[in-house]
Amino acid sequence: KYFVTGSSGAPNIPELFGALMVDGIQVGYCDVSKKILEPRQEWAKNILEKHPEQLDWYQHKCFEDQPNFFRELISSLKQQF
């Protein structure tokens, strides 16, 4: 499961962050505001070390795709309401 949450203009709350869960255990974490992308389990760290293209993919999702999608969504919602 992948959970994403964000805020728009709220102090002390990241603009966007997400967590990747496998069987109820947090495997990865992304905080766009602090530019943090980190695996939270040893086996996940090992996968990313052995397959750097996976790390590139997650970095792109965390720092480019998701923030852009979120900004567009928030902008659209602000216009509607």
Side-chain angles (χ1 to χ4, degrees):
K1 296 178 184 176
Y2 186 67
F3 299 94
V4 178
T5 189
S7 68
S8 176
N12 301 323
I13 297 175
E15 175 187 5
L16 181 75
F17 66 95
L20 176 64
M21 307 289 287
V22 175
D23 293 333
I25 298 170
Q26 188 179 17
V27 175
Y29 175 79
C30 169
D31 183 330
V32 173
S33 300
K34 294 180 181 178
K35 297 288 186 200
I36 296 171
L37 174 64
E38 63 184 23
R40 296 283 173 102
Q41 300 293 318
E42 265 318 299
W43 62 266
K45 291 177 188 176
N46 292 336
I47 289 172
L48 296 178
E49 287 172 3
K50 291 178 184 175
H51 302 280
E53 70 278 3
Q54 287 283 4
L55 178 58
D56 292 340
W57 187 85
Y58 283 112
Q59 287 174 329
H60 182 77
K61 288 293 182 189
C62 178
F63 300 128
E64 294 177 39
D65 284 353
Q66 291 295 321
N68 291 336
F69 173 78
F70 177 74
R71 284 184 199 106
E72 290 175 16
L73 177 63
I74 290 297
S75 176
S76 175
L77 290 171
K78 284 180 178 179
Q79 290 176 10
Q80 290 178 28
F81 296 107

